[in-house]
Amino acid sequence: MTRVRKGDDSPSGPSKKACLDGGDVDVTYDTTNAEQEEEPSRGSILRVKMKNFMTYSNVEFVPGRRLNLILGPNGTGKSSFVCAICIGLAGKPSLLGRGDKVSEFVKRGEDSAEVSITLCTDDPRRPLLVTRVIRKDNSSDWKMNGKKVNAKEVEDSILALNVQLDNLCQFLPQDRVVAFSQLKPTDLLLETEKAVGDSHLWKLHQSLTNMSNDIKGLKTRNQSNHALLDRFEEQNKVLERDVERVNERNRLQEEVLDLQKKLPWLEFDVAKEKFLATQAEFKNCKKVLKEREALLSTAKQPLENKTAQKNQAQLEHKAIKSELVGLDKKKVLHDDELLKLANDAESVVLELQNLKKTARTRQDKMAKAKLEIGNLEAELEGLQEPPDSAEEAEQVKVELRALSEALKELQNRKADTEDAAALPRRQLGEVKNRLRQLDDVRNQRVRTLAQKDRNVMQAYEWVEANRGRFRNDVYGPILAEVEPDSQQNAKYLEQACGGYLWSSFVTTCDEDRNLMSEELGKKLGITVINFAGDPMLPIAVPAELPNLESFGITTTLDMTFSAPMAVKHILNDHSGTAKTYVGTQETENMMTTVSQNREVKSVFTPASHYVNSTSVYSGNVTARVVAVRPNRLFQQSAPAGEKEVLQSKMRDFQNDLASAEQQLASIQDEGRATDAKLKEKRQVQEALLKRRQDYTKQRSRLTNSVQTKKVALSSLEKQNEAQEEQRLHKKRLKVNEKRLDKLMEMHGLLMRYGDVQLSMDPVVLTVAECDAHIAHLKTEVAGLEAEGQQLNVEMKRLDSKRTQDKNHAMELKIKAEGVAKLPDDALEAKFATMPGKVEEIHEAIREVQRQVKEMFIRDPNVLKDYQDRQQKINELTVTVEEEDDLLNNGQSKIDETKAEWLPKLKEVVDQMGRTFAESFEAIGCVGEVGLVEHENFDKYEMRIRVKFRAEEELQTLSSHRQSGGERSVSTMLYLIALQEFTKCPFRVVDEINQGMDAVNERKIFTKMVEAACRPDTPQCFLLTPKLLPQLEYSPAVTILNIMNGPRIKTVSQDWNPSRSYKFYKPNASAVR
């Protein structure tokens, strides 16, 4: 439980206590403040609360009205207060110089943090409470007086209170103290103007700068426009005579245009007359054609009558012809049927003849079959059975069985040997695969380094290619040589060792170091580290290690990874791996006790890295805790020593595999000999079996042939030809009866065919007579049609010509209307004075064009140039007049604004200069503040010049000429000089006194206390880890002591502020 005590022993009033959640240390705030009754100024800070913010779990600051001294050793959380002001009042993280993400201000192990700041407003009874909650995902929630708002509303409210966190004259965090002295004189003037009053001088300065820049641009444009206007007017004056000639030429060209306007109308009149003549010829031709068509109609009637008579006779002829065709078809069908019946009768006769022939052939086949049966039975009786070879076959079978068993036994031995060889072969493959994976891990790590520095890969390849040039072993890069025994220890190792080490190479003799430095160091910038000691010498184990086992610490960092001993020595020499302890979660819980051992400088636990440092001032040990970061370089790693073990196993497996393969070769030779004997015995067995099979097949063939021949003979004996002969005689009788019926039908068809043939002759004579009359009539009609066709062709020609003439006339009319639209009285009056024929118009045009050509014009575009330039002259005249007015008005406004700005600025600078000079004189030095004027308002400078030694000249304050302490003294005195004029509600200065010597620090502190005693002084916060003893304090000073950390608990309980601070009453000269 954390306790906060405010003013426990101070003379300022009663003590206040508050319980804070989270932490096992005491944080004590002792204040001495005798001006609680004074009303706080608008915008000053009344209270600051932090929860899970940076180093604090829960804490509250209650600052005083004037000067607040926030004291505490380094690392106790002073700067957390400054960060809380910036983050809580909508300042950007970049103003603190600590990063650009608000999530970095959340306490380690927490998901969110909260900052609440109470500011005084115009009504002290109604302060403004601003609350900001920040999260690990960089998001924020805002509240003002408990109401949810957005960041823009907070920024507007803070700006309305004149809080300027981006102004170094108001807000000077620890990491930006040096930035003040690095301000350019022009920027220092702007920052000073912002801090003075309500920034009115800065706004006037910005307005003057902007107006001046605008006036400069406008004046340049105005001068350019004046010169351009004069040049245009002079150019047009030179062109006036050429313009007159151009106008005369234009008049003649307009006359040509008028003649060219009448020309198409004359051409249209000619085309119109031609169209009317063609139309009259067309109408006359059409009249004659109608007369010829009437005569043709009268001549066509007799032709049509004869044609109808002919068509009727042709119909009768067609009917008779169709009947004859039908009779022909029937006759053909009867002929086919008679032919078929004749073929049937002939077929029956042939069958009778074949039947007689078959009877004779059957007798011959029966005799032949009986003869063949006798021969086969004789051959079967003469067939001899081969001698019995069963005993020989059995002996061969026994030998075959023995050889097969032997061969099977060899195959089993071969399988067993192959199985025995498979295990080392598989194990050898697994070992080789694992070695390749380890090599891939090594190469992957080199590639990881090459992503940041591609020269690492080039150096690695050079070392691998030139190992023959080295005298001793060369290692590197170190990242590729190290194998942590676990991923957790890999995190510790990567965090403990400097980043430059991982890409470094290690040599073990000077010659190799010189060679690599020449090839890699100078050319590629690669670090080469030489280990001059004995690589086989072990690294000493710390004597404290056994005593730390009870705290969960059993090993040091150098024992958690494998590497060549030279590499291990280098890592220990550069990063102290042998004195970095590795603990467990138990260690994390007991770190307060562990850290009391001064010999334990560095301890890793699963979540944190604890580093103890001893103060050079007091000898006290300060603990710094850093979260263990995820490893980036050892994302792929193998167990320590695995590669050496694998290489040993690979040699054993190779020996086992060679022995098994030698046994397998012997078994294979023995198997081939046994297999040859087995094949030889099988050939003997097959020969004995084939002799018996040949005899059996021959006997079976003869027996089957005898049976087949006997079956065929029995079938021949059963056949009878008498019944078949009787059936064929009956069939022949039926065929002859059908032939007689068809012959009678054929006779009737021939009689009808003759009668129809006789009725066709009269019809043929009628058709011939009609043809003769039709030919005569067609000749008469053809003559009339030919004459009509000629007239029709002529009429079409005239119609086409009429259409062409009409279209041509219309085209000419459209063309004429496109040139000159009629009716137009003025234009027709001009046409009346012009020639009335086309040829005359052409002649007039040629004459006027000749006159135009005779007129010499140097520049054909002279008129256009003249007119364009005249338009520009008119436009420029208006522009120049407007610019003259703007210049006069702008300069007047600049003069008015400068008259308001410069005297006030000079007054402020003069008063600041006097105060600054007096302050420097009080500490035995010389200093001045002056305004450097310039014709450009953005070049005005606020120049600080100081002299700290009598023999020196006054020099401009910069980050290069003065020491850190001198810059701190100058900065503080400048801020004190600025304090009289600033209207800002508060100022923050972090560790400004750390570079000062004791004399200057005491003087500066006295000045700050005097300034704090003056009325209307803004609230001020000074943060420092220490102050000189026996300083004099004022009741206007509030002291906040931060008692935070594992070793300050006892000190904070015994500390008595009344013995630490001396109060004094400021004299009258210090109060203004």
Side-chain angles (χ1 to χ4, degrees), residues 289-305 777 780-785 788:
L289 180 60
K290 287 183 178 179
E291 293 175 354
R292 293 295 182 273
E293 287 177 349
L295 292 175
L296 180 63
S297 178
T298 302
K300 282 184 176 181
Q301 188 61 43
L303 178 61
E304 293 175 356
N305 294 336
L777 292 172
E780 293 181 357
V781 171
L784 292 173
E785 287 179 345

Coordinates of all heavy atoms in Angstrom, one line a residue, residues 289-305 777 780-785 788:
L289 N -45.7 7.2 -125.7 CA -45.6 5.9 -125.1 C -47.0 5.4 -124.8 O -47.4 4.2 -125.0 CB -44.8 5.9 -123.8 CG -44.6 4.5 -123.1 CD1 -44.0 3.5 -124.0 CD2 -43.8 4.7 -121.9
K290 N -47.9 6.3 -124.3 CA -49.3 5.9 -124.0 C -50.0 5.4 -125.3 O -50.8 4.5 -125.2 CB -50.0 7.0 -123.3 CG -49.6 7.2 -121.9 CD -50.4 8.3 -121.2 CE -50.0 8.5 -119.7 NZ -50.7 9.6 -119.1
E291 N -49.8 6.1 -126.4 CA -50.5 5.7 -127.6 C -50.0 4.4 -128.1 O -50.9 3.5 -128.5 CB -50.1 6.8 -128.7 CG -50.7 8.2 -128.4 CD -50.2 9.2 -129.4 OE1 -49.4 8.9 -130.3 OE2 -50.7 10.4 -129.4
R292 N -48.7 4.0 -128.0 CA -48.2 2.7 -128.4 C -48.8 1.6 -127.5 O -49.1 0.5 -127.9 CB -46.7 2.7 -128.4 CG -46.1 3.6 -129.4 CD -46.4 3.1 -130.8 NE -45.7 4.0 -131.8 CZ -46.2 5.1 -132.3 NH1 -47.4 5.5 -131.9 NH2 -45.6 5.8 -133.2
E293 N -49.0 1.9 -126.3 CA -49.5 0.9 -125.3 C -51.0 0.5 -125.7 O -51.4 -0.6 -125.5 CB -49.4 1.4 -123.9 CG -48.0 1.4 -123.4 CD -47.9 2.0 -122.0 OE1 -48.9 2.6 -121.5 OE2 -46.8 1.9 -121.3
A294 N -51.8 1.5 -126.2 CA -53.2 1.2 -126.6 C -53.2 0.3 -127.8 O -54.0 -0.7 -127.8 CB -53.9 2.5 -126.9
L295 N -52.4 0.5 -128.8 CA -52.3 -0.4 -130.0 C -51.9 -1.8 -129.6 O -52.4 -2.8 -130.1 CB -51.3 0.1 -131.0 CG -51.7 1.5 -131.7 CD1 -50.6 2.0 -132.6 CD2 -53.0 1.2 -132.5
L296 N -50.9 -2.0 -128.6 CA -50.4 -3.3 -128.2 C -51.6 -4.0 -127.5 O -51.7 -5.3 -127.7 CB -49.2 -3.1 -127.3 CG -48.6 -4.3 -126.7 CD1 -48.1 -5.2 -127.8 CD2 -47.5 -4.0 -125.7
S297 N -52.4 -3.4 -126.7 CA -53.5 -4.0 -126.0 C -54.5 -4.6 -127.0 O -55.0 -5.7 -126.8 CB -54.2 -3.0 -125.1 OG -55.2 -3.6 -124.4
T298 N -54.8 -3.9 -128.1 CA -55.7 -4.4 -129.1 C -55.2 -5.7 -129.9 O -55.9 -6.6 -130.2 CB -56.0 -3.3 -130.2 OG1 -56.5 -2.2 -129.4 CG2 -57.0 -3.8 -131.2
A299 N -53.9 -5.7 -130.1 CA -53.2 -6.8 -130.9 C -53.1 -8.1 -130.0 O -52.9 -9.2 -130.6 CB -51.9 -6.4 -131.4
K300 N -53.1 -8.0 -128.7 CA -52.9 -9.2 -127.9 C -54.1 -10.1 -127.7 O -53.9 -11.2 -127.3 CB -52.4 -8.7 -126.5 CG -51.0 -8.2 -126.4 CD -50.6 -7.9 -125.0 CE -49.1 -7.5 -125.0 NZ -48.7 -7.2 -123.6
Q301 N -55.4 -9.7 -128.0 CA -56.5 -10.5 -127.7 C -56.6 -11.7 -128.6 O -56.8 -12.8 -128.0 CB -57.8 -9.6 -128.0 CG -59.1 -10.3 -127.5 CD -59.1 -10.6 -126.0 OE1 -58.7 -9.8 -125.2 NE2 -59.5 -11.8 -125.6
P302 N -56.4 -11.7 -129.9 CA -56.5 -13.0 -130.7 C -55.4 -14.0 -130.3 O -55.6 -15.2 -130.2 CB -56.2 -12.5 -132.2 CG -56.6 -11.1 -132.2 CD -56.3 -10.6 -130.8
L303 N -54.2 -13.4 -129.9 CA -53.1 -14.3 -129.4 C -53.5 -15.1 -128.2 O -53.3 -16.2 -128.0 CB -51.9 -13.4 -129.2 CG -50.6 -14.2 -128.7 CD1 -50.2 -15.3 -129.7 CD2 -49.5 -13.2 -128.4
E304 N -54.2 -14.4 -127.3 CA -54.7 -15.0 -126.1 C -55.7 -16.1 -126.3 O -55.7 -17.2 -125.7 CB -55.2 -14.0 -125.1 CG -54.2 -13.0 -124.6 CD -54.8 -11.9 -123.8 OE1 -56.0 -11.8 -123.7 OE2 -54.0 -11.0 -123.2
N305 N -56.6 -15.9 -127.4 CA -57.6 -16.9 -127.6 C -57.0 -18.2 -128.2 O -57.3 -19.3 -127.8 CB -58.6 -16.4 -128.7 CG -59.4 -15.2 -128.1 OD1 -59.6 -15.1 -126.8 ND2 -60.0 -14.3 -128.9
L777 N -49.3 -14.2 -134.7 CA -49.7 -13.2 -133.9 C -48.6 -12.6 -133.0 O -48.5 -11.4 -132.7 CB -50.9 -13.7 -133.0 CG -52.2 -14.0 -133.7 CD1 -53.2 -14.7 -132.8 CD2 -52.8 -12.8 -134.3
E780 N -46.5 -9.9 -134.7 CA -47.2 -8.6 -134.7 C -47.0 -7.9 -133.3 O -46.6 -6.7 -133.2 CB -48.6 -8.7 -135.1 CG -48.9 -9.2 -136.5 CD -50.4 -9.3 -136.8 OE1 -51.2 -9.0 -135.9 OE2 -50.7 -9.6 -138.0
V781 N -47.3 -8.7 -132.2 CA -47.2 -8.1 -130.9 C -45.8 -7.7 -130.5 O -45.5 -6.7 -129.9 CB -47.7 -9.1 -129.9 CG1 -47.5 -8.6 -128.4 CG2 -49.2 -9.3 -130.0
A782 N -44.8 -8.5 -131.0 CA -43.4 -8.2 -130.7 C -42.9 -6.9 -131.3 O -42.1 -6.2 -130.7 CB -42.5 -9.4 -131.2
G783 N -43.4 -6.6 -132.5 CA -43.0 -5.3 -133.1 C -43.5 -4.2 -132.3 O -42.8 -3.2 -132.1
L784 N -44.8 -4.3 -131.8 CA -45.4 -3.2 -131.0 C -44.6 -3.1 -129.7 O -44.4 -2.0 -129.2 CB -46.9 -3.4 -130.8 CG -47.8 -3.3 -132.0 CD1 -49.2 -3.8 -131.7 CD2 -47.8 -1.9 -132.6
E785 N -44.3 -4.2 -129.1 CA -43.6 -4.2 -127.8 C -42.2 -3.6 -127.9 O -41.7 -2.8 -127.1 CB -43.5 -5.6 -127.2 CG -44.8 -6.1 -126.7 CD -44.7 -7.5 -126.2 OE1 -43.6 -8.2 -126.5 OE2 -45.6 -8.0 -125.4
G788 N -42.5 0.1 -128.1 CA -42.8 0.6 -126.8 C -41.6 0.6 -125.8 O -41.4 1.5 -125.0

